[in-house]
């Protein structure tokens, strides 16, 4: 992230799309990043480390693997680099030996049960996803507070992003704060939204190969789908939810071989791709935050739809999709939130649906106005969606919810492309409504597992 000329933080495509581990960007990826940041501050003579989790992190942290994410982060592990199999081995060895090797190389006594403390009835002041660390040794005590604010983004105890820019940094040539300003900037410059995003990103990160970065994101999405299509069995956590993607794949392949006449067959494939990603996410696999892990299946599913079913699909279209989706995600994050703990699931699934709808419209040749319309439709029709994971696990209703929203995104795109871009409700109005709805929404419907399906479905 970089700060633009107007003082707002520039959020680029490689900020919003991050490779990490499941099951949650805010409860797994963010806490791991925070723990790794804290571990890097510690001298090598530290003798004891403890972590405290508050609010939503405490209420659903065990189901979201927050405790193990913190443990892994303290070893110096990063979510974009750590192999899921290695993660399991590190956690197992630490629990067996009751000792943790910190990032600096020294070992300290460590108990997952005793040294990571949950405070479900307390919240820190800046965000419900708060966590603090304390480390002590002969040289004294080191303490830090962090907030995991959604999508893997982390801020410190003062609310400053961990990757806040230094003075004198480059600024984007076309800064925008909301959808109206984005459309104005693009139209004045004669650019598509994707072209504007590319120019901004290249100005802020002149040494970064943006195309290579986007290709890496798309490759990670495809790899996640591929793993999800072959992994069988039950998902971890005790709900006994079985993976459905492999069986659905076999059925669809059989139907395709029989020249299935179903005109809605493409929808089944979209469902399949979304399920495969979110089943991988629920199992702690490698996913791309898009813009969160809980909504990670929507954009990959719609991208697969574009790649397989849209005539003229191309690598350039994939880039256009991702760049455009990132612009929409940045608007939502800046003016509301992508955090389920703040907004409910409208902030996660609703944001991803809007991003996917707008991205697809752009990749299919839509005008900037049609792109904004598609994104607005995708977001508007997820307003009020609650986040109520059964058992604190990112499984029910999260997995199916991604499939439904992926199909909804495609429909939003099609509705927009059949129009000329004029519409009654703007994206900015939908975002403002989401922010207001999230502020008014009861805490029990915002990733706490205290209401909704989480209390009406038997968890075990």
């Amino acid at each position: 992230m970089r700060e633009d000329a107007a003082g707002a933080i520039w959020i680029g495509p490689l900020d919003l799309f991050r490779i990490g581990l499941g099951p949650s960007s805010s409860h797994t990826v963010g806490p791991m990043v925070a723990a790794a940041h804290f571990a890097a501050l510690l001298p090598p003579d530290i003798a004891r480390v403890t972590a405290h989790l508050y609010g939503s992190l405490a209420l659903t942290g065990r189901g979201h693997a927050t405790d193990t994410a913190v443990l892994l982060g303290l070893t110096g592990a990063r979510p974009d680099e750590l192999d899921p199999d290695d993660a399991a081995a590190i956690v197992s060895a630490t629990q067996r030996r009751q000792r943790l090797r910190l990032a600096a190389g020294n070992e300290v006594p460590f108990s997952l049960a005793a040294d990571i403390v949950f405070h479900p009835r307390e919240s820190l002041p800046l965000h419900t996803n708060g966590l603090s660390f304390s480390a002590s040794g002969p040289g004294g005590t080191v303490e830090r507070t962090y907030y995991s604010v959604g999508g893997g983004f982390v801020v410190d105890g003062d609310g400053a992003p961990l990757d806040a820019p230094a003075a004198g940094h480059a600024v984007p040539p076309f800064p925008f704060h909301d959808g109206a300003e984005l459309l104005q900037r693009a139209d004045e410059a004669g650019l598509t939204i994707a072209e504007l995003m590319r120019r901004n990103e290249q100005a802020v990160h002149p040494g970064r190969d943006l195309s290579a970065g986007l290709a890496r994101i798309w490759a990670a999405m495809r790899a996640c789908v591929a793993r999800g299509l072959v992994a069988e069995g039950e998902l971890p956590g005790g709900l006994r939810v079985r993976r459905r993607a492999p069986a659905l794949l076999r059925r669809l392949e059989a139907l395709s071989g029989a020249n299935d006449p179903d005109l809605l067959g493409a929808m089944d494939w979209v469902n399949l791709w979304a399920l495969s990603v979110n089943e991988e996410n629920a199992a702690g696999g490698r996913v791309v935050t898009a813009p969160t892990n809980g909504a990670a299946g929507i954009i990959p599913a719609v991208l697969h739809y574009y790649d397989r079913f849209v005539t003229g699909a191309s690598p350039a279209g994939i880039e256009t999709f991702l760049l455009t989706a990132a612009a929409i995600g940045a608007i939502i994050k800046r003016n509301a939130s992508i955090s389920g703990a703040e907004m409910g699931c409208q902030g996660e699934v609703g944001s991803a649906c809007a991003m996917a709808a707008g991205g697809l419209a752009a990749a299919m040749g839509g005008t900037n106005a049609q792109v904004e319309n598609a994104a607005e439709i995708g977001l508007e029709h997820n307003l009020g969606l609650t986040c109520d994971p059964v058992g604190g696990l990112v499984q029910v209703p999260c997995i199916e919810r991604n499939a439904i929203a992926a199909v909804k995104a495609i429909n939003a795109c099609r509705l927009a492309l059949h129009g000329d871009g004029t519409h009654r409700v703007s994206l900015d109005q939908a975002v403002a409504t989401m922010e207001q709805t999230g502020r008014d929404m009861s805490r029990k419907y915002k990733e706490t597992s205290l209401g909704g399906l989480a209390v009406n479905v038997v968890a075990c």
Side-chain angles (χ1 to χ4, degrees), residues 272-293:
L272 170 70
W273 295 319
L275 291 176
S276 66
V277 170
N278 284 87
E279 287 173 354
E280 272 297 292
N281 179 64
R286 185 174 300 283
V287 301
V288 176
T289 61
T292 66
N293 284 29

Side-chain angles (χ1 to χ4, degrees), residues 304-369:
H304 275 74
Y305 166 82
Y306 167 76
D307 193 44
R308 176 159 176 170
F309 290 107
V310 174
T311 302
S314 67
I318 298 291
E319 287 196 15
T320 294
F321 186 118
L322 290 172
L323 289 167
T324 306
I328 296 162
I331 289 168
I332 297 171
K333 178 171 173 54
R334 181 170 290 140
N335 294 282
S337 174
I338 58 174
S339 168
E342 280 190 299
M343 293 287 110
C345 207
Q346 60 173 355
E348 296 196 44
V349 164
S351 297
C353 184
M355 293 167 67
L360 181 61
M364 293 179 66
T367 66
N368 289 344

Side-chain angles (χ1 to χ4, degrees), residues 19 57 91 103-104 115 130 209 249 254 297 302 310 320 346 373 388 441:
I19 299 172
L57 288 185
V91 173
D115 292 314
D209 188 334
L249 174 63
V302 178
V310 174
T320 294
Q346 60 173 355
N373 188 14
D388 50 355
M441 187 181 289

Side-chain angles (χ1 to χ4, degrees), residues 367-410:
T367 66
N368 289 344
Q370 288 172 321
V371 166
E372 188 263 356
N373 188 14
E376 182 278 321
I377 295 170
L379 183 59
E380 179 185 347
H381 299 290
N382 282 287
L383 291 175
L385 193 60
T386 59
C387 183
D388 50 355
V390 176
L393 299 165
V394 192
Q395 298 178 20
V396 179
C398 319
I399 296 172
E400 284 183 354
R401 189 167 283 173
N402 275 253
I404 298 299
V407 173
K408 187 183 293 187
I410 296 169

Side-chain angles (χ1 to χ4, degrees), residues 98-110:
Q98 295 291 288
R99 295 187 66 80
L100 177 67
R101 181 178 293 277
L102 297 173
N106 57 310
E107 286 194 350
V108 296
F110 193 86

